[in-house]
Amino acid sequence: MTVQVIATKPFEGQIPGTSGLRKQVSVFKKPHYLENFVQSIFDSLRGKDGKTLVLGGDGRYHNAEAIQVILRMAAANGFAKVMVGQNGILSTPAASCVIRKHKAFGGIILSASHNPGGPDGDFGIKYNTTNGGPAPEHMTKAFHVRSTEIDSYRILDGGSVDLGTLGTSQLGGMAVDVVDPVADYAELMESLFDFPRIRELVSGGKLTLCFDAMHAVTGPYARDILVNRLGAPESALLNATPLPDFGGGHPDPNLAHAQELVAIMQGPDAPDFGAASDGDGDRNMILGRDFFVTPSDSLAVLAANASLIPGYKDGIAGVARSMPTSMAADRVAAELGVPCFETPTGWKFFGNLLDAGKATLCGEESFGTSSGHVREKDGLWAVLMWLNVLAARGESVADIVRAHWRRFGRNYYSRHDYEEIDSQAGADLIQNLRDTVPGLAGKMLGAYRVRAGDDFTYRDPVDDTRSHNQGIRVLFEDGSRIVFRLSGTGTKGATLRVYLERFESDPTKQDMDPQDALADLIAIAEEVAQIRERTGRDAPTVIT
Ligand code: VG1
Ligand code: CO
């Protein structure tokens, strides 16, 4: 086997978004497309020679072929070893765990997360650094810059690795270690949570549960942890066989896409606890019997109850949430006397806070929650955290959340997505808001007085870097907010996200349907952004 240097030309648009480079499979399958981007990553890394790379993906269509290509490229680019998940599988949080545990140089995760898969679906690639977390912005920008000037890539001229068999083999001069994708991760989970206590409830049926893996990567993880280690019956798992096209569905754990689970949780024999995870296993949806826990509330509830959990019994250093995530967690942090950080959307912004020990728990409204145990959001971690809270408190999901509202107040919250709108219309809508919202300060919109309007800029408190244009905010005097931003993970047209939030301190008014509670703000959002006129849409495509 020899190293080949293959001539190539740049592709336009190899720009990583909120979470890596995501494109349709048909784009990734163009000759040299994947290779160009992988070489752009490798060319941007300093000090990788002789080091270990972690490699795996969510098992979607094109995963296995792409892994073989990346292995041959890693061998031709100076890595000493690649640790690859068996059959090319590693969930996003498991990859983060493996990088950290084995002190790897970094890792490549193949996933388009919650985007559909299959020949007509999406594919994606992201790079994680030595701390196990997504590459920070200055690195993703460097990958893109390199992709615009690339003229060749390096790859072995042959050789493939049997990904089905655990153990070490050689590829050119590089070692390839095929590792169990679940073992390290499951061990980490066992170190954080009270498994004997949870097992006592779950195996005896005192606490019934249903977990929907949505035919995505978490199936094997859920079987090992929930069934084998915690004694839940196999029937507690739904769609636990990973499929390359996720069974044709959207592997996105929300009320719109996890309908099978939602129906079970609303049915007459609903279990006590329901949960789902996404394509690459980093998202979570938490349900009680006929009860939906918004991700923002979930973060707040977990922060308030963290001291009940073995891994967090000494308290938390701080909480961090993405800017559009509701401010429910801020109230808990204030009561605990710890800081609450507000970051831009995307997990890469939590890394510095976690590395510096400033935050312990992090969350996003988009069904993402995690802690300092890894540097990614972690779907099954959130499930186990909730199960441990349920075991410790002996109350139902709904009772715990309602009691939380009574104590802290309720942040009514919803996100309205307008998917696949015209890209130019989306850009114009945001530009118009950028120009006009600062002038709204002091004005009345309906019954709400505007305190301020801006386009969010983040200053990282650890390294002082700035990130601009992270979302248009309309902030009202009573603490309500409307946020507008364009998605950075879609692959077709543009997706407008509108985030709505209103605080309710009156316990007698905390049990409304969020869409009713937010109706005034929904109308104001339409008025301020002229959504109908600019996008031609009179309703969102997805409401979460
Ligand atoms: C979305 C979510 C964001 C999340 C990102 C990646 O990004 O809003 O909170 O971090 O997806 O999640 P955007 O730019 O489309 O709003 V995942 O599970 O795709 O890795
Ligand atoms: Co994901």
Side-chain angles (χ1 to χ4, degrees):
M1 268 173 273
T2 56
V3 173
Q4 304 279 300
V5 179
I6 310 281
T8 188
K9 289 201 194 85
F11 286 93
E12 244 178 64
Q14 292 199 324
I15 306 171
T18 313
S19 178
L21 180 70
R22 276 184 210 180
K23 300 284 172 191
Q24 287 166 276
V25 167
S26 55
V27 174
F28 261 104
K29 277 191 150 182
K30 287 185 188 160
H32 311 308
Y33 191 90
L34 173 75
E35 292 87 341
N36 272 20
F37 193 68
V38 172
Q39 189 66 52
S40 301
I41 295 174
F42 288 165
D43 287 348
S44 310
L45 301 176
R46 295 283 159 267
K48 67 177 177 3
D49 286 1
K51 300 283 173 54
T52 297
L53 182 75
V54 170
L55 178 61
D58 63 11
R60 68 178 57 223
Y61 180 82
H62 202 51
N63 191 67
E65 296 89 323
I67 295 242
Q68 295 290 353
V69 169
I70 297 169
L71 283 171
R72 287 193 281 130
M73 288 186 69
N77 275 278
F79 283 99
K81 180 162 109 177
V82 172
M83 296 179 74
V84 56
Q86 189 177 23
N87 297 317
I89 297 293
L90 275 175
S91 76
T92 287
S96 185
C97 161
V98 172
I99 294 170
R100 293 168 67 77
K101 181 171 171 183
H102 298 278
K103 301 192 167 38
F105 183 76
I108 287 180
I109 304 172
L110 301 176
S111 172
S113 189
H114 55 286
N115 298 24
D120 301 321
D122 290 343
F123 194 75
I125 175 167
K126 50 184 179 171
Y127 182 76
N128 283 30
T129 58
T130 310
N131 75 350
E137 263 190 330
H138 70 88
M139 289 182 73
T140 57
K141 282 181 183 154
F143 303 160
H144 170 237
V145 168
R146 182 68 194 142
S147 80
T148 62
E149 57 203 24
I150 191 163
D151 57 11
S152 68
Y153 61 84
R154 297 168 67 81
I155 187 163
L156 287 192
D157 62 350
S160 73
V161 176
D162 171 11
L163 295 174
T165 311
L166 295 178
T168 307
S169 60
Q170 285 294 125
L171 184 66
M174 184 181 82
V176 179
D177 216 352
V178 178
V179 300
D180 179 337
V182 181
D184 287 334
Y185 177 80
E187 186 183 282
L188 176 60
M189 293 301 111
E190 218 161 340
S191 75
L192 296 172
F193 301 110
D194 188 349
F195 270 39
R197 181 93 183 265
I198 302 172
R199 187 180 169 87
E200 201 183 300
L201 296 175
V202 165
S203 65
K206 276 188 229 145
L207 195 152
T208 51
L209 65 99
C210 184
F211 177 80
D212 187 352
M214 304 191 82
H215 285 307
V217 78
T218 47
Y221 294 86
R223 179 165 296 112
D224 184 71
I225 294 170
L226 299 176
V227 176
N228 298 348
R229 294 176 193 243
L230 292 172
E234 176 72 26
S235 58
L237 303 183
L238 225 54
N239 305 316
T241 308
L243 297 174
D245 68 348
F246 309 120
H250 252 272
D252 197 355
N254 60 36
L255 295 177
H257 295 303
Q259 282 173 2
E260 190 180 350
L261 174 70
V262 171
I264 290 172
M265 296 307 295
Q266 290 172 346
D269 304 316
D272 300 308
F273 178 77
S277 192
D278 72 331
D280 61 332
D282 58 358
R283 295 187 177 207
N284 73 91
M285 174 169 69
I286 302 296
L287 301 168
R289 204 176 289 132
D290 199 17
F291 191 88
F292 167 63
V293 185
T294 63
S296 296
D297 279 347
S298 178
L299 174 65
V301 169
L302 294 181
N305 289 280
S307 61
L308 300 172
I309 312 298
Y312 309 91
K313 66 176 187 326
D314 298 332
I316 54 176
V319 183
R321 62 164 174 82
S322 68
M323 183 273 283
T325 301
S326 101
M327 291 155 83
D330 303 40
R331 296 177 181 277
V332 176
E335 188 158 314
L336 293 174
V338 298
C340 183
F341 298 91
E342 187 175 46
T343 60
T345 294
W347 211 264
K348 54 176 166 292
F349 295 101
F350 293 132
N352 276 352
L353 296 170
L354 292 166
D355 285 352
K358 288 179 178 291
T360 305
L361 298 185
C362 306
E364 293 192 280
E365 49 66 40
S366 54
F367 299 81
T369 339
S370 193
S371 82
H373 68 289
V374 287
R375 292 293 179 275
E376 287 277 7
K377 52 193 154 91
D378 189 344
L380 268 170
W381 171 90
V383 170
L384 293 166
M385 189 86 174
W386 265 96
L387 283 173
N388 206 153
V389 169
L390 293 177
R393 289 187 50 150
E395 296 160 73
S396 73
V397 172
D399 286 348
I400 288 173
V401 176
R402 289 205 185 96
H404 185 95
W405 293 337
R406 305 296 180 258
R407 180 170 163 209
F408 294 96
R410 177 172 184 185
N411 291 68
Y412 279 109
Y413 187 83
S414 185
R415 183 175 105 183
H416 290 196
D417 292 335
Y418 297 78
E419 296 177 324
E420 293 184 35
I421 59 172
D422 178 70
S423 297
Q424 193 57 49
D428 290 348
L429 182 148
I430 291 291
Q431 186 56 47
N432 177 57
L433 287 169
R434 192 171 286 136
D435 295 340
T436 56
V437 299
L440 294 175
K443 299 214 167 101
M444 291 298 291
L445 294 175
Y448 296 83
R449 186 178 296 280
V450 179
R451 179 170 68 75
D454 68 2
D455 192 348
F456 180 58
T457 295
Y458 178 58
R459 187 187 71 82
D460 186 309
V462 179
D463 65 14
D464 205 39
T465 51
R466 316 278 151 136
S467 302
H468 301 280
N469 301 333
Q470 295 296 331
I472 307 291
R473 308 190 291 183
V474 181
L475 307 168
F476 298 98
E477 278 187 348
D478 72 344
S480 300
R481 301 189 300 165
I482 305 173
V483 175
F484 302 89
R485 58 180 284 281
L486 295 178
S487 157
T489 59
T491 58
K492 281 186 216 132
T495 291
L496 170 69
R497 306 203 193 284
V498 183
Y499 309 80
L500 305 134
E501 174 175 5
R502 175 168 86 74
F503 180 67
E504 180 57 73
S505 60
D506 182 347
T508 66
K509 295 181 183 157
Q510 289 171 348
D511 296 297
M512 287 169 74
D513 179 324
Q515 301 309 315
D516 296 335
L518 295 165
D520 292 352
L521 288 172
I522 293 168
I524 293 170
E526 165 59 40
E527 184 189 323
V528 172
Q530 304 158 334
I531 300 171
R532 208 167 287 146
E533 190 186 320
R534 289 174 174 275
T535 69
R537 302 287 179 83
D538 49 21
T541 17
V542 178
I543 294 180
T544 50

